[in-house]
């Protein structure tokens, strides 16, 4: 395989900073921008031979052909296939009303293109068609994905050429093409949308991105074991002579899709998914071998002259991982907003690699608005620990960066928060089978959405205490599907100091987790008993933090293990933040975990279930001792409070649950991102 180093490819690139963003007064940026510019986004496909070509992609870039000319930068959004309480394989629960709401909200935010990863239920295509016919000059274009139904190529002894893997992908490609053209009936089955697709939305399909983020071990095994596998170039896509076995397999399947599309008389750009772990570049400073083990190169999978739609290099590229972005020489020579920007430098290296043959599309990027973080990023773009406003501003900045850098498209991840998601530094702390039933603020992957999925109160999960005397007037404890709320009201003013001890796991210890809060000093800290510290589960050895022998540990999340001579890194997530968590409040801060309500003399605290050691609150399962940690069924949580020296105690109990309710809202700060969409796709 030909691999190019950044030192050879990267030239000095300095990008001009984008103008500062301000809030928009328009409730419909897409319509406002179109009105101001006279832009008409209605499709105007060209005819090449016997094919209708809505978009093309090649050496000159990507172009979507519309009534007002070619659109050469596509700012979009990624849409998942689930809602709270559901796993992604339960896609058939999505209905017409949900899609109708989503499309309207996307339009109001100025989004021009939506990407999906797999065939959605028929209602998706019905409602997309309905919406676009109602908005002919500002339609919502579609990037259709096709996922890999059988991912067992990651298992020992199997490859992408394993017959079950190969057949499943081939069938999924053909069926998804049929669904898009309104010509498919298939039964409901786990992991697939079922039903009858009758609506043809192909006139709004701007491209296809198929496949998955390739597993490095599975890819390398495929390349080695299938190196001599027979290959014949397809009519529409062909692998180059120096292509690997994986690349030849991808080329063969892109040709399957192109053949199905050509049979319907259409041709648009067809690309395959990729990510930095299997990019075609070398990264000598990457500390994890698996992150630079093998490459998959779009330059080795090319369209033939018979496919006018062309192709592009599609990458899921985030600003915080892999680690080489922080250390690789040369990446900091690229600037954005007047500062060296290693993320911009990495995108520049990808562009250099494909320059002259195809454009680059960043098909996933973004930062989450979660309390917890899982990795440090470039220029503060960490994998979490951002307020909603910070996350939206960072996403807007990166989108503008991509346009300024000449990238052909940028797709923010994602549309709506997804409760089922996991991340490496909390997955050992929670129950994998029931994550979708509660929304963990410490698991950043659950908080990428532009749309918040706010939890509701857990029924019958409350306790109260009314002391007969003393300075404490009232104690109220209740829970939603993310937090345990503790509200303490004073008789003559709000409490100033609160020590809260939580007895969670049955045993001789009276406390397993505790909170130390001083409102006058403005400090709050959550601590965990040494034997229950969840960080111990995230490392392979016995040494997991400098203070691990102390009886109590400040609660942290590990954001990087000690690697390549570099010390381990931590997110001090147990250090609580003061502020309002009411989205209607002008000073709203989604990171806030305590506040003082002066009008009612009440100190309010909200603690994530995971800060109290719950592995699955929906089943009342706590994280116990040991490695791996025991899972302990608990009747509730015993709470001991010291309120300015006064002692109180009460128990919080709640019923288990298997269904959840939630509400949705566009996140704070989304107007800044909406303005970027409107500016970049008027």
């Amino acid at each position: 395989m030909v691999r190019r180093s950044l030192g050879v490819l990267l030239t000095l690139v300095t990008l001009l900073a984008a103008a500062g963003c301000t809030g928009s007064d328009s409730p419909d940026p897409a319509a406002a921008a179109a009105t101001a510019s006279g832009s008409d986004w209605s499709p105007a496909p060209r005819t090449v031979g016997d094919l209708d070509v809505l978009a093309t992609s090649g050496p000159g870039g990507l172009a979507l052909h519309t009534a007002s000319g070619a659109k050469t930068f596509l700012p979009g959004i990624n849409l998942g296939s689930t809602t709270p309480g559901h796993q992604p394989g339960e896609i058939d629960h999505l209905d017409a009303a949900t899609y109708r709401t989503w499309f309207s909200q996307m339009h109001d935010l100025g989004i021009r293109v939506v990407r999906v990863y797999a065939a959605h239920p028929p209602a998706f295509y019905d409602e997309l068609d309905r919406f676009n016919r109602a908005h002919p000059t500002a339609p919502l274009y579609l990037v259709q994905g096709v996922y890999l139904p059988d991912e067992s190529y990651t298992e020992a002894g199997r490859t992408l050429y394993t017959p079950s893997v190969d057949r499943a992908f081939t069938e999924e490609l053909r069926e998804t093409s049929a669904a898009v053209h309104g010509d498919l009936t298939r039964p409901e089955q786990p992991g697939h949308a079922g039903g009858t697709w009758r609506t043809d939305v192909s006139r709004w399909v701007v491209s296809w991105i198929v496949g998955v983020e390739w597993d490095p071990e599975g890819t390398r095994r495929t390349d080695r074991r299938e190196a001599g596998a027979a290959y014949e170039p397809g009519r529409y896509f062909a692998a180059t002579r120096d292509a690997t076995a994986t690349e030849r397999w991808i080329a063969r399947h892109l040709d399957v899709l192109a053949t199905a599309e050509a049979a319907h008389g259409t041709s648009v750009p067809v690309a395959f998914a990729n990510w930095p772990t299997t990019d075609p570049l070398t990264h000598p400073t990457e500390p994890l071998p698996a992150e630079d083990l093998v490459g998959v190169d779009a330059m080795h999978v090319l369209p033939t002259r018979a496919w006018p739609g062309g192709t592009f290099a599609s990458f899921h590229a985030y600003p915080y991982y892999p680690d080489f972005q922080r250390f690789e020489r040369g990446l900091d020579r690229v600037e954005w907003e007047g500062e060296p920007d290693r993320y911009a430098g990495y995108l520049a290296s990808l562009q250099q690699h494909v320059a002259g043959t195809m454009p680059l599309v960043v098909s996933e990027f973004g930062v989450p608005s979660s309390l917890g973080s899982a990795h440090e990023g470039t220029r503060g773009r960490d994998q979490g620990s951002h307020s909603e406003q910070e996350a939206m501003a960072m996403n807007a900045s990166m989108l503008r960066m991509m346009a300024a850098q000449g990238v052909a498209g940028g797709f923010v991840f994602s549309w709506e928060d997804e409760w089922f998601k996991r991340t490496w530094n909390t997955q050992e702390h929670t129950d994998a089978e029931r994550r979708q039933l509660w929304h963990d603020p410490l698991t950043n992957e659950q908080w990428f959405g532009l749309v918040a999925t706010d939890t509701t109160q857990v029924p019958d999960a409350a306790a109260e205490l009314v002391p007969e005397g003393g300075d404490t007037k009232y104690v109220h404890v209740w829970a939603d599907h993310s937090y345990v709320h503790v509200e303490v009201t004073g008789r003559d003013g709000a409490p100033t100091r609160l020590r809260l001890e939580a007895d969670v796991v049955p045993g001789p210890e009276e406390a397993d987790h505790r909170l130390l809060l001083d409102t006058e000093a403005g400090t709050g800290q959550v601590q965990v008993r040494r034997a229950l510290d969840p960080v111990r589960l995230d490392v392979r050895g016995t040494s997991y933090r400098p203070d691990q022998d102390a009886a109590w540990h400040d609660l942290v999340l590990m954001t990087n293990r000690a690697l390549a001579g570099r010390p381990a890194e931590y997110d001090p997530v147990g250090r609580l933040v003061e502020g309002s968590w009411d989205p209607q409040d002008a000073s709203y801060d989604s990171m806030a975990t305590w506040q003082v309500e002066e009008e009612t003399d009440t100190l309010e605290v909200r603690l994530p279930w995971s800060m109290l050691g719950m592995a699955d609150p929906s089943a009342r399962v706590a994280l116990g001792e040991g490695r791996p940690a025991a899972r302990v069924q608990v009747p509730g949580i015993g709470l001991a409070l010291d309120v300015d020296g006064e002692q109180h105690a009460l128990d919080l109990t709640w019923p288990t649950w298997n269904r959840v309710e939630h509400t949705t809202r566009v996140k704070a700060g989304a107007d800044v991102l909406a303005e970027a969409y409107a500016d970049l796709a008027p």
Side-chain angles (χ1 to χ4, degrees), residues 359-374:
L360 169 69
V361 171
V362 182
S363 45
E364 271 190 24
F365 76 95
V367 295
S369 60
S370 56
L371 203 62
S373 178

Side-chain angles (χ1 to χ4, degrees), residues 452-467:
T453 50
D454 292 332
T455 62
T456 58
Q457 184 170 352
V458 177
D460 300 320
E464 62 179 1
L465 183 68
V466 184

Side-chain angles (χ1 to χ4, degrees), residues 80-90 413 416-423 430-440 443 445-447:
S81 58
T82 188
T83 58
H86 299 277
Q87 292 281 5
E90 302 173 294
F413 184 85
E416 192 171 87
D417 286 343
E418 298 175 313
W419 294 15
F420 75 93
K421 286 292 188 68
R422 63 184 174 89
T423 196
T430 60
D431 186 333
E433 299 302 318
R434 295 176 63 87
R435 275 192 298 262
Q436 73 278 11
L437 295 174
W438 61 294
H439 200 191
D440 180 19
T443 299
E445 291 286 341
Q446 298 182 11
W447 300 81

Side-chain angles (χ1 to χ4, degrees), residues 517-562:
L517 180 61
D518 186 332
T519 65
E520 292 180 335
T523 60
Q525 180 66 56
V526 173
Q527 296 181 326
V528 58
R529 182 165 60 85
R530 176 178 57 199
L532 294 177
D533 189 343
V535 173
R536 75 190 191 279
L537 307 175
D538 302 324
V539 295
R540 297 178 180 87
T542 58
S543 177
Y544 58 92
R545 55 187 296 170
D547 61 344
Q548 66 188 42
D549 293 330
W552 286 87
H553 296 171
D554 288 352
L555 186 68
V556 299
L557 289 174
M558 179 172 282
T559 56
N560 217 343
R561 300 182 179 102

Side-chain angles (χ1 to χ4, degrees), residues 40-45 52-55 64-66 74 103 112-115 124-144 180-181 199-208 261 266 268-269:
D40 182 347
W41 279 70
S42 57
D52 289 334
V53 184
L54 174 62
L64 166 64
H65 305 300
T66 74
L74 300 181
F103 295 157
R112 297 292 193 184
V113 189
V114 58
R115 176 199 177 197
F124 172 87
Y125 304 93
D126 296 342
E127 291 304 317
L128 183 66
D129 179 75
R130 187 192 310 274
F131 177 86
N132 284 346
R133 291 184 185 280
H135 301 84
T137 63
L140 189 62
Y141 285 95
L142 174 63
V143 172
Q144 179 66 55
V180 163
H181 291 276
T199 303
D200 185 348
V201 299
S202 60
R203 63 178 300 194
W204 294 293
V205 174
V206 66
S207 75
W208 293 74
E261 285 296 289
T266 62
V268 293

Side-chain angles (χ1 to χ4, degrees), residues 66 87 100 232 275-276 307 334 427 443 453 516 573 623 633-634 645 682:
T66 74
Q87 292 281 5
R100 199 175 302 127
E232 290 291 334
W275 61 324
W307 191 249
V334 177
Q427 66 181 5
T443 299
T453 50
L516 307 173
V573 69
L623 197 67
Q633 189 81 37
V634 300

